[in-house]
Amino acid sequence: MDEPGRVSALGELLEEFSRAQFRAKDVGAKVERIEQRCLELFGRDYCYSIIQNPNGELCSHYPRQIVFLEYESTEDDKHMFESTVHVSKLQDLVHRSKMARCRGRFVCPVILYKGKHICRSATLAGWGELYGRTGYNYIFSGGADDAVADTEVAEDDSVARNGDSQFDKVRGHDIKLLRYLSVRYICDLMVENKKVKFGLNVTSSEKVDKAQRYADFTLLSIPYPGCEFFKDYKDRAYAAEGLVFNWKQDYVDAPLSIPVSMTRHLNIDWREYQSWDLVKQTQNYLRLLIHIINGDDNSGLLVHCISGWDRTPLFISLLRLSLWADGMVHNTLDPAEILYLTVAYDWYLFGHMLVDRLSKGEEIFFFCFNFLKHITSDEFSSSGRKARRKSSQPRDPGLTLEDFCGLKPRDRGSPTSLSSDFSVITEDSPSAFGNTHCDGVDLINFGAQSHAVWKKTHTPSPQMAVWNRASEDHLLQPSGSEARSSSSSSSNHSDVFLRPGSSPLEVPQRRHTAQTERVSRLHAVQSIFLSAYNTTIGLRTVPASPSGAISGLLEQFARGVGLRGASGAV
């Protein structure tokens, strides 16, 4: 697919995503194109089998064709291998285990890293759900549009009527699936031990299983705020720095619990977790997950929250993009392709309720991709060592202000438009920009031009047609000077800082003569996302600043997309 086609496909995906939640039993032509595109992108680098979920028979908010990645393989050598997976056995395990977890969202492998499966799911179902999932959904969703969802397993409620022996059986199937996938580590993002609605325990979790059925697994309780907290993020003008969750709320009863052996080499004071802001907490949890998958050569990882469609895709998506930026997964995909894959598969096809979240201002989806600028440093690298820099390649932070200003005016778009495709306006200031003259920063063209610059500076040599692990020495991480706090990383990646009623501040100077592959890849993904998001969804309006409605709106938008300084940006 050519460049315009990729941009169009991403736009179509976001429009469909923001229109309605995915339901496997309600699929039209647009959704079919999204599904096929995902299969095509997975097939570039992997041989895979399909877990069939027609009409949502296994789970109504899981993909109709669930991809089970078997091993890395290019198109040329796929014929050299035979499948090692007994798909019928896997399908049977999934069918038997689906009742064990909330909303039927069973343990599902989604990333293959060095032969290990990184999986996602919902938390364990409680008695309330086992006795009637239809009624449970009404209670759990508060009567929202999901009240009629997941009725496909209602006929199986009889398994919960015969006491603890049947409960053992249901969770026993879940454990068999985990073992089949060689999962050893279970990371629970819930801030509760059990989810309580109207005084009823509607879900449980492995960490409080009374029979200790999950004692053979390494359980990590890493409580992370739910989607409701991200309304505060939006209300603070999309500024996550300084935004700290209130851990003293009555329903919060799950403490952070991590085996000491898994924390020794991270140089993180986990006792301070309740004082971390949203940036630091997300960074530290991601570092922990990367440390886990690098510390065991044989065992996989499960990440889950309650329903598995907000916090879970946040960390699954960050993991996929971080590993891709290091050249460890999806080696042949470019920034636009990996962005499409993670938005479509990790978020949309696994049921994230974007429409509902946007209506409530709970913008966890936007946070995920705007957060990429905070994970560019070496401490997030999965390669286990610092890589050399490419002295032959210029630094490429996506599309810099200088690059943008070098474009012809017609390529930049209107500098004064305040339509849905509006630009961030700056005042001409020779003192701020030297000899550079720039009418405005058009965020629509920003992403497309950033990808064009990335493609131009990352043309493979004749000896290197695609990225692969043999070229690991060429996959570069940031130098020590890049490994800064969340606040400094924000300022490093800002191109222009805006203040209402004032001239732009001085543009940060280039700090390096070369940039790592990891940094440029993540910058490219973020830029493409911001451009596509702006043209299809856009940031929700927040209260205007005292200096005026227009300048206030521009200020909030500049903060949200990282064009503002460290004091007020994510």
Side-chain angles (χ1 to χ4, degrees), residues 450-520:
S450 174
H451 185 63
V453 172
W454 189 93
K455 292 286 285 185
K456 182 177 180 180
T457 58
H458 293 77
T459 302
S461 65
Q463 295 78 24
M464 180 60 182
V466 297
W467 298 310
N468 54 54
R469 280 190 186 162
S471 64
E472 203 169 285
D473 288 341
H474 296 285
L475 301 176
L476 307 174
Q477 290 79 40
S479 67
S481 61
E482 287 272 340
R484 297 186 174 89
S485 67
S486 58
S487 60
S488 62
S489 64
S490 176
S491 60
N492 287 349
H493 307 324
S494 299
D495 293 319
V496 59
F497 305 152
L498 301 179
R499 287 180 178 170
S502 66
S503 298
L505 302 180
E506 182 178 359
V507 178
Q509 299 298 313
R510 295 173 182 265
R511 289 181 170 84
H512 313 296
T513 58
Q515 183 172 16
T516 70
E517 190 80 7
R518 177 183 176 85
V519 174
S520 60

Side-chain angles (χ1 to χ4, degrees), residues 12-141:
E12 182 181 77
L13 166 62
L14 290 175
E15 288 177 354
E16 183 65 21
F17 195 5
S18 61
R19 184 190 66 82
Q21 183 188 20
F22 170 78
R23 297 177 187 275
K25 59 185 178 181
D26 183 21
V27 173
K30 288 184 179 179
V31 178
E32 289 179 348
R33 284 196 296 271
I34 293 170
E35 292 174 324
Q36 289 303 311
R37 180 63 172 158
C38 287
L39 295 179
E40 175 193 342
L41 293 174
F42 276 120
R44 297 270 191 89
D45 300 285
Y46 298 95
C47 277
Y48 61 82
S49 296
I50 293 293
I51 302 172
Q52 297 293 344
N53 181 36
N55 298 313
E57 291 177 2
L58 296 175
C59 179
S60 63
H61 294 298
Y62 269 17
R64 296 188 305 164
Q65 294 180 301
I66 300 169
V67 175
F68 181 84
L69 301 176
E70 297 187 40
Y71 48 83
E72 291 183 82
S73 177
T74 63
E75 289 292 340
D76 293 337
D77 59 15
K78 278 184 169 59
H79 67 282
M80 299 172 59
F81 302 92
E82 293 183 1
S83 174
T84 59
V85 176
H86 300 288
V87 179
S88 60
K89 179 179 180 180
L90 180 60
Q91 190 95 20
D92 182 64
L93 281 172
V94 165
H95 180 78
R96 291 175 181 274
S97 68
K98 64 181 180 180
M99 287 293 295
R101 294 194 173 263
C102 171
R103 302 182 187 272
R105 295 174 69 87
F106 54 86
V107 176
C108 186
V110 288
I111 300 174
L112 184 65
Y113 174 63
K114 294 183 176 179
K116 299 170 290 189
H117 292 292
I118 299 174
C119 306
R120 63 182 294 171
S121 73
T123 191
L124 293 177
W127 280 110
E129 180 170 8
L130 290 175
Y131 271 117
R133 186 156 289 161
T134 303
Y136 160 80
N137 274 311
Y138 182 83
I139 293 172
F140 190 83
S141 62

